[in-house]
Amino acid sequence: SWRDLARICPAGICSLHAIRHARKLVMPSLRSQVLACMMGQVHARASAAESVVVGHSLGVQFAEQAAVLAETTSQGFRGILLIDGRMAMPDPIEITSAVAQDGAQEKDGIALLRKTYADTGLGSAWYERFVVNTRNFEGTPRFRLHAPVLDCTCPLEKMFEAFFCSDQVLNERRALHFTTAEVRPLADGSHMTANVTHSFDIAQQVRSLA
C-alpha cells in the first residue's frame, strides 16, 4: 500500500496497479503492458517533466519502462525512484543456473510469494504465470535513461537468493540502464514490505528528486 507515503508526501500521488489491468489482456512484454495500461493515465493526470515515477519490486521494471516511453515520446520524468527491484533483465546466466540447481531454496521463496500474492487477490500461481513469462520476454535496453535515479535497496533475504539478483549483479547492470544512478540502502528493510515500513524514508527520497 502507498497510503502512508501519500500521507507524508505533500505532492499529489497517482498510484497505478498495472498488473491488475495487464492480467486481463494478452500482452507478454512489460513495455506493451505499460503502453496499454499506464501511459495514458500518466499523461492525462500529470506532466512527466514535473513528476517522479516510483516502482517497488517488479514495479521497478514498470517504472523504468514508463520512463523509457516518456523520454522517447515526450519529456522525460523529473526523477526515478526504485525500491528494491532485485531484477536485472535480461536475467543473468548466474540467476538462471541458480534457479535450476537450488530447487529447495527456490521452493521456499516461491511459497512466500504465493502466499503474499494470494493475500492481495492476485492468485497463488501469479508468480509463475505472470512474472516468469514477463521476464522471459525482456531484452537488453537499447539506450540509457537520462533522468536522475535513486535506487533504494534492501538486504537480499536468503529465501530469495535463488531467483533475485545480488548487489554485485545489480551494480554491474545498473550502468546499462541509467546514465546517473545513486544507491540508497534500506539497511533494515524487507523486500515485501519496504514501501510501507520505510514510507518516511521514501518520501524524503521523492522530495530530493523533486
Side-chain angles (χ1 to χ4, degrees), residues 52-57 59-61 63-64 79-88 147-155 165-175 177-178 180-187 191 194 201-202 205-206 208-209:
V52 176
V53 61
V54 182
H56 172 228
S57 190
V60 162
Q61 302 301 325
E64 183 179 336
I80 305 169
L81 179 61
L82 311 177
I83 306 171
D84 209 40
R86 285 294 168 192
M87 294 183 186
V149 176
L150 290 179
D151 194 351
C152 300
T153 59
C154 301
C165 293
S166 65
D167 290 339
Q168 179 181 351
V169 171
L170 292 176
N171 291 336
E172 292 172 350
R173 291 294 191 91
R174 198 172 281 115
H177 295 257
F178 314 110
T180 57
E182 184 177 346
V183 179
R184 301 283 178 87
L186 301 176
H191 176 80
D201 300 308
I202 293 168
Q205 307 304 334
V206 170
S208 70
L209 287 169

Side-chain angles (χ1 to χ4, degrees), residues 49-77:
E50 299 299 324
S51 303
V52 176
V53 61
V54 182
H56 172 228
S57 190
L58 182 63
V60 162
Q61 302 301 325
F62 285 95
E64 183 179 336
Q65 290 298 330
V68 169
L69 289 170
E71 286 197 5
T72 54
T73 60
S74 59
Q75 291 178 296
F77 286 100

Side-chain angles (χ1 to χ4, degrees), residues 27-30 33 57-58 61 85-92 94-96 99 106 110 113 127-140 160-166 169-170 173:
M27 293 180 297
S29 73
L30 280 167
Q33 294 164 20
S57 190
L58 182 63
Q61 302 301 325
R86 285 294 168 192
M87 294 183 186
M89 293 194 268
D91 281 336
E94 293 84 352
I95 295 294
T96 306
V99 170
E106 182 195 13
I110 292 290
L113 289 175
Y127 184 89
E128 295 95 323
R129 293 178 181 176
F130 186 85
V131 180
V132 174
N133 288 334
T134 297
R135 293 175 71 166
N136 289 340
F137 271 89
E138 292 309 304
T140 305
F160 294 142
E161 288 179 354
F163 50 95
F164 278 2
C165 293
S166 65
V169 171
L170 292 176
R173 291 294 191 91

Side-chain angles (χ1 to χ4, degrees), residues 103-118:
Q105 189 174 2
E106 182 195 13
K107 185 177 179 181
D108 292 340
I110 292 290
L112 177 59
L113 289 175
R114 279 179 174 169
K115 182 182 184 306
T116 302
Y117 295 131

